[in-house]
C-alpha cells in the first residue's frame, strides 16, 4: 500500500495542514497532562487503525518518559492495573468519543461523570478537543495511507515550529 496523497505538497491541503498542525501544538499548551494526551491519542489511533499516529504517539510518549508497560497495555486498559482513575476516565472518553456509532447516546453519562470527577473545566475542554483532533488526524492519515514506522520523537514539533 503506497501513500496516496501528500497533503503538504498540495497548496490547499498544505494550508489546511499547517492550521491543523497549529491546533495540535496548542494542545501541548493545554493543562491536560502530557501523559494523558499521549495515552488518549494512542488509544483513539489504535481504534481507528492509524499506523502513522500510533507510531507518533508511542514514540512521543516514550521520549517523554512513559513506560513500555503502560504503552503496551493501552489497548487493554480496562484489564490493566497501571492506569490511574483519571487516565481510565480519559481513555473511556476517548473510546466512546471515537466509536460514536457503537454508542447510541455518544459518550455515556457514567463516563462523563468520571471525567468531570477527575478534570477541571480547562482540562475537560482540552480532552474534548483532543479526542476530536486525533480522530480527524487519524482520518487524514488513513485516507491518504500514511504509514507508521519512520516517525522520530520531536518531528511534529520541528515540522510546525
Amino acid at each position: 500500500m503506497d501513500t496516496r496523497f501528500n497533503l503538504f505538497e498540495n497548496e490547499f491541503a498544505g494550508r489546511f495542514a499547517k492550521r491543523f498542525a497549529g491546533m495540535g501544538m496548542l494542545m501541548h499548551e493545554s493543562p491536560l497532562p502530557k501523559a494523558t494526551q499521549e495515552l488518549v491519542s494512542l488509544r483513539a489511533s489504535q481504534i481507528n487503525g492509524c499506523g502513522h499516529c500510533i507510531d507518533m504517539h508511542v514514540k512521543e510518549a516514550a521520549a517523554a518518559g512513559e513506560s513500555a508497560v503502560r504503552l503496551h497495555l493501552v489497548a487493554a486498559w480496562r484489564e490493566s492495573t497501571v492506569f490511574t482513575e483519571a487516565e481510565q476516565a480519559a481513555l473511556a472518553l476517548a473510546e466512546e468519543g471515537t466509536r460514536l456509532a457503537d454508542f447510541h447516546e455518544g459518550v455515556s453519562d457514567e463516563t462523563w461523570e468520571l471525567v468531570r470527577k477527575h478534570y477541571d473545566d480547562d482540562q475537560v475542554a482540552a480532552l474534548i478537543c483532543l479526542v476530536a483532533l486525533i480522530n480527524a488526524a487519524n482520518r487524514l492519515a488513513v485516507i491518504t495511507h500514511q504509514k507508521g514506522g519512520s516517525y522520530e520523537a520531536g518531528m511534529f514539533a520541528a515540522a510546525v515550529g
Side-chain angles (χ1 to χ4, degrees), residues 27 79 126 157:
M27 289 307 307
E79 294 80 26

Side-chain angles (χ1 to χ4, degrees), residues 41-106:
S41 295
L42 176 56
R43 186 64 191 125
S45 299
Q46 290 171 335
I47 292 166
N48 289 324
C50 183
H52 177 74
C53 293
I54 291 169
D55 185 34
M56 175 190 299
H57 294 292
V58 164
K59 290 174 180 173
E60 290 291 349
E66 189 60 72
S67 75
V69 169
R70 283 170 42 97
L71 291 174
H72 289 297
L73 289 173
V74 167
W77 65 268
R78 283 184 178 86
E79 294 80 26
S80 305
T81 60
V82 298
F83 301 103
T84 67
E85 286 183 12
E87 290 167 337
Q88 291 173 23
L91 288 165
L93 182 75
E95 286 190 0
E96 292 175 26
T98 297
R99 293 181 165 147
L100 293 174
D102 295 343
F103 299 95
H104 108 271
E105 294 182 18

